[in-house]
């Protein structure tokens, strides 16, 4: 361990006991150091061991389930913290080492104000009086860039945006002035603009406090703008480590090269299919389907404009907030929005959280009642239809949500979840036929027949998203709304889902309304792009035109916020 090393991880191994099975090896003999005043990033796919490694450093592994070999060491201040008594490890946690988790809403107490939650840390860990804790909390909120800190003290977590919630978690982690801050996927599913703000905030904190940061992510482009050094992990082992310039410009390992290539890039000619990890590890020169066809290849078939399947005219949607006993304040979520979607085409809707993207989609599907306007599906105005008359259109218009685990019934097997819409909409004559249809769609999305009998918790995030997609497709919709379907997925799994969506569209001629804050994904998948800001459409044009020549300052701001990796600094 050098004089500049803050933490030294030596031959760390972590396995978990499994009932009547061999232990599962999560981390296998890894070694690295975290230097003083540096940002070290660990990247890799889900299951690579990134978060488990971080939890072992802060001492949050489940003691009864986790097994750590005797030769494993995590050295801090010349002591192996893995062998320290519980009381001493507890003293280090939160004071010397603090952690910011991926989902702030699940980490914050929903029934306490955020001010009280941060003050609780200050009073418990630093033994401050209530008035001292209050003043210190105000200073932390100001340092992390929260607006009107005194007003923010009285807010509950549900009253804050995702970016504000994450700033609260960072303020809480900084409360005891730790030497090491661990940030575990702190920007996942955040808008690119908020993501950029959080990255800038972490850089500022590191410079001001002279602290070290361990940043965990699956996005190499993102860590390239933040980190000093990068560790690439896969299946519990370190595949490569080095400074950020070396990793981006001269990666030595095939897996690192695959991670760099799997994420869609904003360029002039996106490939027909995105490569996935396995393609590069087996044969780096081969793309999926052996194709690299640019999206803008013109054929006789696509010269003629397709017919319109969906037309929205002057759609408005407002919510009302009660103020006192007799007054209500109108909050417009969608303002006078019009667009068309052609058959077999994809319209991308982009914008920050609160821009009205999802509200617009819910209004199109009549899951929320429009405040005004008209929606035509296949030339039929649908907002004025009765519930009974609209029922056939529900089969023809389906949606896939961002979080597949929340949208799948945990008490249903996958087979039951797939069969329910088939039987409800009369897509099969009997139960036996419904089972056959469900199995066919499982196969189409890359799953096996045995998955029919499993429950949602037995699958990875990417597999659950495939199941949610299969469920929507079992009723053969003509329009599929995709609401942030790949935002929280690893780059390789994301590539698989995007390739699958293209294949399904080509085979069945489905039209997509694709909602996302990830402009690189939108550039790969969509034909047209509509940019929303504060409930209004600020720009709408062909994909290539919008990305090459954005007309509005807001669109230019969104494009400038897309992570570009280390090359963004060249």
């Amino acid at each position: 361990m050098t004089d500049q090393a803050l933490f030294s991880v030596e031959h760390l191994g972590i396995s978990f006991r499994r009932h009547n099975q061999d232990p599962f090896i999560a981390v296998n003999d890894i070694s690295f150091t975290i230097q003083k005043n540096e940002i070290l990033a660990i990247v890799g796919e889900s299951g690579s061991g990134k978060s488990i490694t971080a939890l072992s450093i802060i001492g949050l592994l489940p003691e009864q389930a986790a097994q750590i070999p005797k030769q494993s060491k995590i050295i801090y201040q010349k002591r192996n913290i893995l062998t320290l008594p519980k009381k001493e490890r507890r003293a280090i946690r939160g004071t010397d080492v603090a952690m910011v988790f991926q989902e702030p809403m699940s980490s914050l107490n929903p029934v306490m104000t955020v001010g009280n939650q941060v003050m609780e840390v200050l009073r418990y860990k630093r033994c401050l009086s209530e008035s001292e804790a209050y003043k210190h909390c105000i200073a932390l909120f100001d340092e992390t860039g929260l607006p009107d800190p005194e007003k923010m003290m009285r807010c509950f977590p549900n009253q804050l945006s995702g970016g504000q919630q994450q700033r609260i978690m960072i303020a809480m982690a900084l409360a005891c002035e730790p030497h090491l801050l661990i940030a575990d996927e702190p920007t996942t599913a955040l808008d690119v603009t908020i993501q950029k703000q959080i990255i800038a905030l972490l850089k500022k904190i590191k410079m001001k406090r002279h602290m070290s940061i361990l940043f965990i992510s699956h996005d190499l482009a993102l860590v390239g703008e933040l980190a000093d050094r990068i560790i690439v992990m896969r299946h519990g082992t370190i595949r490569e480590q080095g400074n950020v310039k070396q990793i981006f410009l001269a990666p030595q390992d095939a897996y690192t090269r695959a991670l760099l290539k799997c994420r869609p890039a904003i360029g002039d000619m996106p490939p027909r299919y995105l490569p996935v990890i396995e393609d590069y590890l087996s044969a780096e020169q081969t793309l999926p389907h052996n194709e690299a066809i640019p999206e803008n290849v013109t054929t006789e078939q696509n010269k003629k404009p397709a017919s319109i399947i969906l037309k929205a005219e002057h759609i408005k949607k407002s919510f009302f907030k009660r103020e006192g006993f007799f007054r209500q304040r109108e909050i417009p979520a969608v303002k006078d929005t019009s667009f068309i979607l052609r058959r077999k085409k994809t319209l991308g809707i982009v914008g920050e959280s609160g821009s009205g993207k999802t509200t617009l989609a819910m209004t199109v599907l009549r899951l929320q009642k429009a405040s005004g306007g008209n929606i035509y599906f296949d030339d039929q105005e649908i907002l004025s239809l009765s519930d009974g008359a609209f029922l056939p259109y529900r089969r023809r218009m389906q949606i896939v949500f961002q979080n597949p685990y929340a949208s799948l019934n945990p008490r249903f097997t996958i087979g039951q979840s797939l069969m329910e819409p088939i039987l409800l909409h009369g897509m099969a004559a009997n139960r036996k036929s419904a089972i056959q249809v469900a199995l066919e769609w499982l196969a189409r999305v890359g799953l096996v027949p045995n998955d029919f009998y499993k429950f949602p918790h037995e699958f990875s995030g990417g597999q659950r998203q495939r199941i949610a997609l299969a469920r929507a497709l079992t009723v053969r919709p003509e329009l599929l709304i995709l609401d942030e379907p790949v935002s929280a997925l690893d780059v390789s799994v994301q590539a698989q889902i995007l390739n699958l969506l293209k294949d399904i569209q080509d085979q069945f001629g489905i039209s997509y309304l694709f909602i996302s804050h990830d402009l690189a994904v939108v550039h790969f998948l969509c034909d047209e792009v509509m940019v929303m800001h504060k409930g209004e459409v600020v720009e709408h044009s062909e994909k290539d035109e919008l990305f090459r020549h954005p007309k509005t300052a807001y669109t230019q701001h969104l494009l400038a916020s897309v992570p570009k990796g280390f090359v963004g600094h060249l």
Side-chain angles (χ1 to χ4, degrees):
M1 183 171 176
T2 66
D3 291 339
Q4 290 299 313
L6 180 67
F7 278 81
S8 178
V9 177
E10 301 174 5
H11 305 290
L12 179 64
I14 304 169
S15 59
F16 292 92
R17 302 183 185 93
R18 296 190 294 182
H19 183 65
N20 293 331
Q21 296 183 54
D22 293 333
F24 169 71
I25 300 175
V27 176
N28 188 11
D29 193 21
I30 66 171
S31 299
F32 63 91
T33 60
I34 304 172
Q35 303 295 325
K36 295 176 182 177
N37 195 29
E38 82 158 350
I39 300 177
L40 174 67
I42 302 181
V43 298
E45 299 173 280
S46 295
S48 62
K50 314 183 297 292
S51 295
I52 293 296
T53 300
L55 291 174
S56 68
I57 293 174
I58 200 170
L60 289 177
L61 288 176
E63 294 183 8
Q64 294 182 345
Q67 297 175 314
I68 300 177
K70 291 183 179 180
Q71 68 267 25
S72 297
K73 295 179 181 179
I74 300 177
I75 306 298
Y76 173 63
Q77 294 182 344
K78 299 181 180 180
R79 298 180 297 170
N80 180 10
I81 62 177
L82 293 176
T83 59
L84 292 179
K86 289 183 181 180
K87 186 176 181 180
E88 292 186 42
R89 294 202 72 181
R90 195 180 300 119
I92 292 173
R93 184 164 58 243
T95 52
D96 295 75
V97 186
M99 190 163 184
V100 177
F101 294 94
Q102 178 175 346
E103 296 182 3
M105 194 59 192
S106 62
S107 304
L108 292 167
N109 190 329
V111 298
M112 285 179 67
T113 64
V114 293
N116 282 335
Q117 293 185 59
V118 178
M119 286 173 61
E120 185 179 49
V121 176
L122 292 165
R123 298 188 68 183
Y124 174 73
K125 284 287 188 178
R126 298 182 61 175
C127 301
L128 300 182
S129 67
E130 186 169 351
S131 60
E132 290 174 329
Y134 183 87
K135 291 178 182 178
H136 202 80
C137 188
I138 292 289
L140 285 169
F141 282 9
D142 185 60
E143 181 181 357
T144 52
L146 287 162
D148 197 350
E150 291 193 5
K151 180 181 177 181
M152 196 67 61
M153 290 282 291
R154 302 188 294 272
C155 291
F156 290 89
N158 67 296
Q159 296 175 295
L160 308 179
S161 68
Q164 289 172 332
Q165 291 170 6
Q166 200 60 281
R167 290 172 186 270
I168 294 292
M169 290 301 301
I170 293 172
M172 192 181 298
L174 295 175
C176 297
E177 301 181 358
H179 298 132
L180 173 65
L181 176 66
I182 301 174
D184 188 3
E185 301 271 14
T187 61
T188 297
L190 293 178
D191 302 327
V192 287
T193 52
I194 305 301
Q195 191 179 75
K196 189 172 184 178
Q197 291 171 19
I198 296 296
I199 294 301
L201 173 62
L202 291 174
K203 286 182 178 179
K204 177 183 173 183
I205 289 169
K206 179 240 182 183
M207 294 295 293
K208 179 180 178 180
R209 293 176 174 254
H210 303 288
M211 65 189 299
S212 300
I213 297 176
L214 180 62
F215 189 88
I216 297 169
S217 179
H218 60 257
D219 191 341
L220 263 172
L222 181 66
V223 304
E225 298 195 344
L226 174 71
D228 300 305
R229 289 191 301 125
I230 298 175
I231 292 174
V232 181
M233 289 188 68
R234 190 181 195 222
H235 297 161
T237 62
I238 292 177
R239 297 292 294 255
E240 185 171 0
Q241 56 180 310
N243 64 56
V244 65
K245 182 178 180 180
Q246 173 192 324
I247 295 295
F248 272 85
L249 300 186
Q252 300 300 305
D253 191 84
Y255 180 66
T256 307
R257 292 192 289 270
L259 282 179
L260 288 167
K261 293 291 185 181
C262 283
R263 179 171 172 80
I266 297 178
D268 291 337
M269 297 175 68
R272 183 73 179 95
Y273 291 97
L274 287 171
V276 297
I277 296 293
E278 287 71 21
D279 294 306
Y280 275 89
L281 296 185
S282 58
E284 289 189 47
Q285 73 278 6
T286 304
L287 289 175
H289 303 258
N290 295 317
E291 293 185 83
I293 304 172
E295 280 298 313
N296 54 1
V297 171
T298 302
T299 66
E300 292 298 323
Q301 185 178 1
N302 62 28
K303 283 181 180 178
K304 183 180 178 181
S307 60
I308 296 172
I309 188 171
L310 183 70
K311 182 178 181 181
E313 294 182 341
H314 308 292
I315 297 301
K316 299 175 184 177
K317 175 61 183 175
S318 294
F319 297 96
F320 293 88
K321 182 179 180 181
R322 185 177 296 279
E323 293 185 344
F325 287 102
F326 304 107
R327 294 176 57 196
Q328 286 186 328
R329 179 164 60 93
E330 182 180 3
I331 304 173
V334 177
K335 307 172 186 176
D336 197 15
T337 297
S338 300
F339 65 89
I340 62 170
L341 173 61
R342 297 185 180 275
R343 293 183 185 276
K344 304 181 183 179
K345 298 295 183 181
T346 303
L347 172 62
I349 305 179
V350 301
E352 298 170 285
S353 294
S355 62
K357 308 186 301 291
T358 299
T359 301
L360 178 61
M362 294 295 204
T363 306
V364 167
L365 288 177
R366 287 193 17 164
L367 296 176
Q368 290 178 350
K369 187 176 180 180
S371 303
N374 298 291
I375 296 175
Y376 297 88
F377 181 82
D378 200 13
D379 293 330
Q380 169 64 54
E381 207 290 318
I382 59 175
L383 293 184
S384 60
L385 293 177
S386 65
D387 290 342
F390 182 67
L391 186 59
Y393 291 93
R394 289 210 179 276
R395 180 196 67 78
R396 300 170 66 185
M397 306 163 68
Q398 292 289 308
I399 186 168
V400 176
F401 294 99
Q402 177 177 354
N403 186 349
Y405 193 74
S407 59
L408 292 171
N409 191 328
R411 296 177 181 271
F412 277 19
T413 64
I414 299 310
Q416 289 173 311
S417 291
L418 293 180
M419 287 169 59
E420 185 181 36
I422 297 172
L423 296 172
L424 178 65
H425 291 286
M427 299 299 293
N430 51 48
R431 184 176 177 83
K432 183 177 180 181
S433 299
I435 292 173
Q436 187 60 38
V437 172
L439 288 171
E440 287 174 3
W441 276 106
L442 274 181
R444 281 195 176 104
V445 299
L447 298 174
V448 297
N450 284 345
D451 293 332
F452 186 88
Y453 305 99
K454 295 180 180 178
F455 289 88
H457 72 270
E458 298 180 75
F459 295 90
S460 68
Q463 288 173 322
R464 285 197 290 264
Q465 197 60 285
R466 287 171 179 266
I467 292 163
L469 182 60
R471 183 178 62 176
L473 293 169
T474 54
V475 294
R476 294 290 182 92
E478 297 167 48
L479 168 65
L480 186 60
I481 295 178
L482 300 151
D483 189 3
E484 302 275 12
V486 296
S487 63
L489 301 180
D490 298 329
V491 286
S492 183
V493 178
Q494 183 185 85
Q496 293 170 19
I497 297 294
L498 293 175
N499 290 338
L500 176 61
L501 287 171
K502 284 208 167 188
D503 283 338
I504 288 170
Q505 187 174 55
D506 290 343
Q507 186 175 358
F508 297 101
I510 300 173
S511 302
Y512 294 147
L513 200 61
F514 189 83
I515 298 169
S516 180
H517 63 256
D518 191 329
L519 291 170
V521 169
V522 169
H523 181 263
F524 171 76
L525 189 67
C526 298
D527 301 294
E528 296 182 19
V529 183
M530 187 166 75
V531 182
M532 294 189 69
H533 180 53
K534 295 182 179 179
E536 296 181 297
V537 176
V538 296
E539 191 163 351
H540 184 176
S541 64
E542 294 287 336
K543 171 185 65 178
D544 293 336
E545 177 64 21
L546 185 135
F547 280 92
R548 290 175 187 170
H549 308 292
K551 295 180 176 62
T552 67
Y554 180 71
T555 306
Q556 294 166 7
H557 176 57
L558 285 179
L559 289 169
S561 300
V562 176
K564 299 176 179 65
F566 175 74
V567 293
H569 298 292
L570 296 180

